[in-house]
Amino acid sequence: GSPAQMATRIAQARTTILARFEGKRQQSERLVADEEQRTEDARLLAGQQRKAAQEDRAAAERESRIAKRIEEYEISVAQMTKQREELQRKFEQHREERYARALEEEGQRLAEGERALQREQQALAQEQEKNAQRRAERLTEKDQRIQRQLLAQEEEAKREELAAREREARIAQRIAEHEAIVAQIEQEKETLRRKFEQHREERYARALEEEEQRLAEGERALQNEQQALAQEQQNNAQRRAERLAERENLLKEQEELALEPPSRAAASPSGLSTSPETIAARRDRLYAIVDETPVIYADVPLSAWYAPYVSYVIEEKIATGYADEKGKLTGEFGVEKPITYAEVLKMAMQASAQAFDLRGLPPPRNASAKGTWASAYVAKAEDLQLSVFTTQRDVMKSATRGAVIQTLLEVLGIPTGIKILSSFSDVPSNHQYAQAITTAAAYGLVTGDTDSAGNPLGTFRPDEPINRAEVAKIIALAKELLK
């Protein structure tokens, strides 16, 4: 298309990428909000537990004091009853006036003691009734907390179920792609077999053998993906069973609330979630699933300008960050690190709509690439005659900004013959990458340097290094454009 049409399409690609990332950012915010709510619930529950324990202790102490007073009054009443009976006997024996008065006094003391005993018994009954009411209120609060936990679990189960379906869908899509590849290879194999039967030439025999090898590889890849889908479905079923068991335990606990003894302590508050996605959200870091493995990118804050583009290239399997010696991802994308010629070549080929076949290539003529992970990529670059990858180029060194733009446009098949002048004062028309830089700027893939307020400075620094975050943005926009 024309420069204006291309600029419009790249602007649309930028909007699509940002909108796609907005859903991930909102999901992160929901996880953090849920985490904060669970933490607040746990804090309130812990306070309620402490208060309930204190109230139980105070109630027990009050009941104990009342019971002790009742016991003292019972002993006193028993003593006075015994004294009254003794005076009664003496009165009956002597019929003296002083015994009559003493008997009357003892009768009054006994009546007062019985009234005091009755008051304490009533006080004990009232205290026990109040304590029972407080326990009932605490049980009601706990029942409400369990209901909130059940609702939160249902929401989390929905999110996990959606994620599980997405993972299964991705695997199913890869299976469909492998099935299509196998079918295509079968067709090519059949075509070569017919040619071989017609011509019996050696080259068709070799091609047929290669097609059989590709078919075997395709079938193995298909089998691997089918096994991955079966394993994913098994894992998802297990997770569903675990969630169901947890929910049943909560419901059982809710049913047993009425039978809970007053002295039993309330359940301990749940701690913070340890799921990788929630941890990443809590830390404001990018979270992604790479080859079914959860990864938290410690150097990619969700609030950073480059986060949507880094997330895009990870999801599109263009680049997934650094790995250790065993191939395990370290959780570092290297956003601030300069990109090497070999790295930008690999990312460009991964982003291209063209499937580059790196098998069966001779070793590269470039000495810096021989015996390294980049050997096949550089050999393919030499085969494609990419202008940046000369035999003298040290592909492990930091790539210049101009060389990166040139490589990306060549590999992605974006023409660089635009007929306009460069808008950058430091990119003269005779610069070796001037046309590529001018084309990328005209389309909106790059904008050049800006000041602290975001105003353009009119420079590009074509011969200086470029970091991986900047390259991720350019590749994401170009990839979305090519779709």
Side-chain angles (χ1 to χ4, degrees), residues 15-58:
T15 301
T16 300
I17 292 171
L18 295 178
R20 174 170 164 179
F21 182 74
E22 181 64 18
K24 175 173 287 191
R25 190 186 62 78
Q26 291 177 356
Q27 169 70 4
S28 176
E29 290 178 352
R30 284 195 297 270
L31 288 173
V32 171
D34 292 345
E35 185 78 87
E36 291 175 350
Q37 184 61 52
R38 286 194 296 271
T39 302
E40 179 63 16
D41 289 345
R43 187 186 66 79
L44 293 175
L45 178 58
Q48 291 171 355
Q49 289 174 336
R50 289 192 296 271
K51 183 178 178 182
Q54 292 170 354
E55 289 181 355
D56 285 343
R57 286 195 298 271

Side-chain angles (χ1 to χ4, degrees), residues 30 41 43 75 117 242 256 276 293 309 315 326 331 373-374 383 407 455:
R30 284 195 297 270
D41 289 345
R43 187 186 66 79
I75 294 173
L117 176 59
E242 291 172 355
E256 294 175 351
T293 300
Y309 307 105
E315 290 179 359
K326 296 181 180 180
W373 64 265
D383 180 57
T407 299
N455 300 313

